[in-house]
């Protein structure tokens, strides 16, 4: 109902201008620990038993978003060498 009576006023006068009024952010406790990257919760995206063959609309953008989140987390850490080594092992990358 954040639009209030605007739809009715717009119907009566199609030149009416909408006055933007931001609504409070919605947050869910169950999702606070989830990682959200470019329209996907990664826990669900990686769950092949519940969501097999889930199509990814923009895979490059999803990857960029994941890497961006990873870099943000690295910036918050003091010792990044251990984290990077675990990531290399998990992704089976060479040094």
């Amino acid at each position: 109902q954040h639009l209030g009576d605007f739809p009715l006023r717009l119907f009566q006068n199609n030149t009416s201008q909408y006055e933007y009024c931001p609504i409070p952010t919605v947050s869910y406790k169950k999702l606070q620990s989830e990682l959200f990257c470019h329209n996907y919760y990664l826990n669900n995206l990686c769950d092949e038993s519940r969501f097999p063959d889930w199509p990814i609309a923009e895979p490059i953008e999803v990857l960029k978003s994941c890497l961006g989140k990873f870099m943000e987390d690295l910036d918050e850490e003091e010792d990044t060498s251990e984290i990077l080594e675990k990531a290399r092992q998990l992704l089976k990358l060479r040094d």
Side-chain angles (χ1 to χ4, degrees):
Q1 286 292 355
H2 71 279
L3 292 177
D5 66 343
F6 181 70
L8 179 61
R9 287 188 294 122
L10 185 61
F11 181 72
Q12 294 170 350
N13 179 3
N14 64 359
T15 62
S16 295
Q17 289 190 351
Y18 176 69
E19 293 180 31
Y20 174 72
C21 179
I23 59 175
T25 303
V26 177
S27 62
Y28 301 96
K29 288 185 180 185
K30 288 184 176 182
L31 297 176
Q32 285 180 342
S33 63
E34 293 289 333
L35 186 57
F36 186 77
C37 291
H38 197 71
N39 301 324
Y40 296 94
Y41 285 101
L42 293 187
N43 191 38
N44 290 338
L45 187 62
C46 295
D47 189 344
E48 293 182 5
S49 61
R50 287 180 36 212
F51 305 103
D53 301 321
W54 190 351
I56 300 174
E58 298 175 315
I60 294 172
E61 296 304 321
V62 173
L63 179 60
K64 284 181 181 179
S65 180
C66 290
L67 291 173
K69 296 277 187 183
F70 181 69
M71 297 307 285
E72 287 174 16
D73 287 349
L74 278 182
D75 289 342
E76 294 175 6
E77 295 292 325
E78 291 180 16
D79 181 23
T80 59
S81 60
E82 186 177 328
I83 295 170
L84 289 172
E85 183 57 35
K86 285 182 182 178
R88 281 190 195 100
Q89 289 174 359
L90 181 67
L91 297 172
K92 298 177 182 171
L93 299 174
R94 292 184 233 148
D95 288 338

